[in-house]
Amino acid sequence: MRFLHCSDVHITADYFSLPLRKLGWRRWLALAELSVGGRSKAYARAPQTLATIARDADALGADHFILSGDITAYALEPEFQVVRESLGTLAEDPRRCTIIPGNHDVFTPGSHRVGRFARHFGHLLESDLPEHRREGPFPFVRLVGEEAAVVGLLSARVPFVPGLAHGFIGPAQLDGLAALVKDPRLAGRALLVVVHHAPLTHQGRADRYFHGLRDAQALFQLLPGPRYAVLHGHIHQRYHHPATAERPHVFGAGSSTQAGREGYWLIEVKDGQVVGGQKHVPGGALH
């Protein structure tokens, strides 16, 4: 089986054409990152790149498409709309597609309060085993074929102030995940657990305190060995840490639409185990 994993596509609206009063103070601070920091230019072609990646899912025979958060720049309604348009029919079917929110998708209290992510992608948070939900729809489970399942977790929280970009899963979701792992209906299946924040950096270390996944070790304790993989984004680097006896595979998808760094993972599952992955660039070519 094949799973296409991408992340941090950051579809970006034209912020400089919008009235400042509609943006709010949090996005005012982000204007420096968009302009001086070059983020607006880096993601100018993100919609086209994301559409290409979605087509690759069919062309490469992927059984399931996974996007591990930060689908928008700063959680504006038009950004969510463009993500949905770029993915086309792929985003209509939970059997084919899993998307979770990242911290940029809950960037303001208002975007979180009105459920902007759920308005466009809430149907993808449905669960085949809903009794294991503990925090809203999380964790949710998607059974894929006969030998795999995708599990979605929420780590993205509304930041107290911009710049605090850490995440946590929390004891409730971890309790649901623990029950899920023991569920006999998942016996013999590989589990691909999707979370936005990185449990490990590309160097194999914990991320910075105000940027990383606070309860990464608690997550790893529930998922030892090659039956499991944690798929994440947040860090704009693409890497794979193979599983050990104590922890799962870790796949960081990087920023899949960033100019000059475009790409994604094609992850292979065989006989109920995660056996590895290949890096691809949009258009289906190998790195």
Side-chain angles (χ1 to χ4, degrees):
M1 302 189 72
R2 287 180 167 181
F3 294 81
L4 192 155
H5 173 214
C6 63
S7 197
D8 293 65
V9 298
H10 288 299
I11 300 299
T12 305
D14 183 0
Y15 281 74
F16 300 98
S17 69
L18 300 172
L20 285 177
R21 62 181 177 80
K22 288 189 175 182
L23 292 180
W25 69 269
R26 291 171 183 258
R27 297 192 185 96
W28 297 348
L29 298 177
L31 292 178
E33 185 176 44
L34 288 169
S35 55
V36 178
R39 185 177 284 261
S40 182
K41 182 178 180 180
Y43 292 99
R45 289 192 53 80
Q48 296 91 330
T49 305
L50 180 58
T52 299
I53 295 172
R55 290 192 295 269
D56 285 354
D58 286 328
L60 294 170
D63 295 281
H64 202 81
F65 175 94
I66 297 169
L67 206 174
S68 54
D70 276 4
I71 62 177
T72 66
Y74 302 107
L76 284 178
E77 176 69 19
E79 294 171 339
F80 287 101
Q81 292 173 350
V82 173
V83 175
R84 187 67 187 267
E85 292 166 4
S86 297
L87 291 172
T89 59
L90 184 65
E92 297 175 4
D93 189 353
R95 294 168 300 177
R96 299 179 61 208
C97 182
T98 292
I99 303 176
I100 62 166
N103 58 297
H104 279 253
D105 307 320
V106 291
F107 191 74
T108 64
S111 64
H112 177 66
R113 184 171 57 251
V114 302
R116 200 162 284 162
F117 177 90
R119 184 183 306 161
H120 294 277
F121 299 103
H123 61 290
L124 299 179
L125 306 181
E126 296 172 4
S127 181
D128 293 329
L129 303 176
E131 61 270 34
H132 295 306
R133 290 172 168 172
R134 297 292 189 276
E135 183 181 347
F138 300 96
F140 64 84
V141 185
R142 187 86 61 248
L143 304 179
V144 183
E146 298 296 325
E147 55 180 313
V150 176
V151 178
L153 297 173
L154 175 68
S155 65
R157 314 291 173 169
V158 179
F160 182 68
V161 294
L164 299 182
H166 57 282
F168 62 90
I169 300 164
Q173 288 184 69
L174 289 170
D175 175 74
L177 180 61
L180 188 157
V181 167
K182 297 175 183 176
D183 193 311
R185 291 169 291 183
L186 295 180
R189 291 178 181 266
L191 266 61
L192 283 71
V193 178
V194 188
V195 66
H196 179 63
H197 289 78
L200 294 174
T201 68
H202 69 289
Q203 297 170 321
R205 298 198 292 260
D207 197 4
R208 305 189 309 275
Y209 186 75
F210 288 115
H211 195 259
L213 182 65
R214 293 280 177 86
D215 40 12
Q217 289 307 310
L219 176 64
F220 281 167
Q221 288 174 8
L222 298 174
L223 307 170
R227 178 189 171 200
Y228 306 103
V230 172
L231 281 54
H232 71 85
H234 197 52
I235 296 178
H236 291 187
Q237 292 174 313
R238 198 165 295 111
Y239 51 89
H240 171 216
H241 297 304
T244 68
E246 292 77 31
R247 63 161 175 75
H249 292 275
V250 177
F251 288 93
S255 183
S256 295
T257 61
Q258 184 177 359
R261 303 179 70 177
E262 300 92 337
Y264 55 86
W265 282 105
L266 199 64
I267 299 171
E268 300 282 345
V269 168
K270 185 177 181 181
D271 299 328
Q273 303 277 306
V274 178
V275 296
Q278 292 180 316
K279 296 178 183 178
H280 283 252
V281 297
L286 284 168
H287 271 286

